[in-house]
Amino acid sequence: MGKPSMQLPENAALQQAAEWFAILRSEQAKETDYLEWKVWLDADTAHQSAWVEVESIDATFKHMAGSGNPQAAKSALLTHASASRRHALKVLSLTGVSVITGLVVKRYSPWRDWLTNVVATHSEYQVAVGQTRLLTLAEGSRLWLNTNSHAEVRYSFALRRITLHTGELLIASAKDNSGIDRPLVVDTIHGRITAIGTRFTVKLNTHATYVAVFEGAVSVQAVNSGRAQVLKAGEQLQFDAQAMQAIQPAEKAREVWTRGILLADNRRLDDFMTEVSRYRTGRIIVSPKIAHLRIMGAFPISHTDLILTSIAESFPVTINHVGGMDIQLVEK
């Protein structure tokens, strides 16, 4: 069969590492397979990083790169070959992992297909201003992205990792359907949130990350803090790279946007308009004379003009268009 080529981007390197894992695990593996694997491994640091990911599935592979004896390495690989293939097939049966279309289905296919499916998964998602999106991730979790958000999803043998670059997300974590039972984490520039069987939201601002938990619990770790904080259902906090603020009751508004609702629970007008402005193009400027007014109600995310009209009809407020897409709210 054809061997993996020499140099490829990170995701392809992971796929190649998975293929080499399958090849070297086969009872049909030859000494020449091991020698060719060594050439591939030494050709690129990306190959070496990918191999570290793949070999973590079985301690048999540890330190193989430093061995000078191909026959000994082959013997070590074959020691658990049959049991390993049976385990792979069992995992495939239990999790329903399908054979990946386009791969060459030969004697190495069970290991290759499973490893490739688990490891070489990397996706990025972006949501435009005024939109929200629901995604079902490969390992079973459900991910909602709020307006103007950018998230990256990457799987390895160690983690199910979601990186929030901008905006806001809500995650309903599921048991890892790969059979490995990897932790699910959400990373921002300020730190890491680790799910403990849960439903929670993460919002990234310029100076802090906001976390609210609605089911289960999470562990929050700031980048430069040695202490982790556990948040339970009904709790929220903000943190930056240095420290975490005090725990507060979770705001329902941070969950209901997944159902297309903007909730104002006795919020200041200027604060609520900051939230509304996330869902439209252009600024909403609130006069200091009316900024203190308090808003109560549930409003549709998809109709921000209707929200503004409703406020103008309910309060002594006039809406002025001040050029372009900008709007100013002033005292009537």
Side-chain angles (χ1 to χ4, degrees):
M1 64 174 287
K3 299 301 190 295
S5 58
M6 297 296 291
Q7 295 188 359
L8 283 172
E10 180 182 2
N11 290 342
L14 284 169
Q15 290 184 348
Q16 289 185 357
E19 292 186 25
W20 276 117
F21 186 98
I23 291 169
L24 297 179
R25 271 301 177 114
S26 169
E27 292 178 349
Q28 289 80 33
K30 303 177 178 62
E31 290 184 27
T32 54
D33 292 329
Y34 173 74
L35 294 173
E36 290 180 31
W37 165 75
K38 275 285 291 172
V39 172
W40 171 85
L41 185 70
D42 294 338
D44 196 315
T45 56
H47 298 172
Q48 295 158 23
S49 298
W51 188 254
V52 170
E53 292 278 2
V54 171
E55 72 171 353
S56 65
I57 195 171
D58 194 319
T60 303
F61 284 89
K62 291 190 182 300
H63 308 303
M64 278 187 59
S67 172
N69 188 337
Q71 183 58 47
K74 178 185 174 184
S75 298
L77 287 164
L78 294 178
T79 300
H80 304 292
S82 298
S84 296
R85 283 201 310 281
R86 287 196 299 271
H87 174 70
L89 291 169
K90 180 180 178 183
V91 170
L92 285 165
S93 174
L94 290 174
T95 63
V97 176
S98 61
V99 174
I100 299 173
T101 302
L103 288 179
V104 179
V105 183
K106 292 191 177 180
R107 58 190 178 183
Y108 311 118
S109 63
W111 268 111
R112 176 191 299 161
D113 295 340
W114 180 63
L115 289 167
T116 302
N117 186 67
V118 170
V119 176
T121 306
H122 172 217
S123 302
E124 293 195 44
Y125 304 99
Q126 290 186 286
V127 177
V129 172
Q131 303 295 314
T132 62
R133 185 178 179 186
L134 168 60
L135 303 157
T136 299
L137 302 182
E139 39 70 31
S141 297
R142 301 178 77 196
L143 171 67
W144 288 260
L145 289 175
N146 206 351
T147 176
N148 196 27
S149 295
H150 174 202
E152 180 180 359
V153 179
R154 185 185 296 270
Y155 298 133
S156 71
F157 279 117
L159 288 175
R160 296 174 285 163
R161 184 185 183 211
I162 302 169
T163 302
L164 181 63
H165 295 293
T166 58
E168 183 174 19
L169 62 78
L170 186 143
I171 184 81
S173 65
K175 182 175 175 61
D176 188 355
N177 63 18
S178 71
I180 303 178
D181 197 21
R182 299 160 293 181
L184 173 66
V185 303
V186 177
D187 288 342
T188 74
I189 58 173
H190 303 117
R192 169 167 290 180
I193 303 101
T194 302
I196 309 174
T198 189
R199 177 183 173 92
F200 65 101
T201 187
V202 181
K203 181 181 179 183
L204 177 60
N205 294 325
T206 304
H207 303 295
T209 295
Y210 167 99
V211 184
V213 182
F214 301 102
E215 294 178 15
V218 301
S219 175
V220 181
Q221 176 78 59
V223 170
N224 297 324
S225 172
R227 182 177 66 90
Q229 175 69 61
V230 174
L231 281 184
K232 297 176 291 186
E235 297 179 337
Q236 71 177 41
L237 62 72
Q238 291 191 52
F239 69 98
D240 58 23
Q242 308 301 323
M244 287 170 276
Q245 297 182 10
I247 294 175
Q248 303 289 339
E251 297 175 11
K252 188 67 175 176
R254 295 273 55 85
E255 181 186 28
V256 296
W257 60 263
T258 61
R259 300 193 288 276
I261 297 171
L262 275 179
L263 184 63
D265 186 8
N266 197 32
R267 295 181 71 172
R268 282 175 56 103
L269 178 60
D270 55 352
D271 181 40
F272 185 57
M273 286 299 102
T274 297
E275 185 72 10
V276 172
S277 68
R278 296 177 61 206
Y279 297 89
R280 60 182 292 130
T281 303
R283 298 177 301 162
I284 301 178
I285 306 164
V286 180
S287 168
K289 292 183 178 180
I290 58 173
H292 65 282
L293 295 176
R294 294 283 175 172
I295 307 296
M296 294 283 291
F299 304 88
I301 283 175
S302 58
H303 298 287
T304 56
D305 286 340
L306 182 61
I307 297 175
L308 293 167
T309 300
S310 176
I311 288 174
E313 292 174 350
S314 304
F315 295 92
V317 171
T318 297
I319 299 174
N320 294 328
H321 293 269
V322 293
M325 301 296 292
D326 291 349
I327 289 174
Q328 185 178 42
L329 275 58
V330 298
E331 185 178 15
K332 186 177 293 183

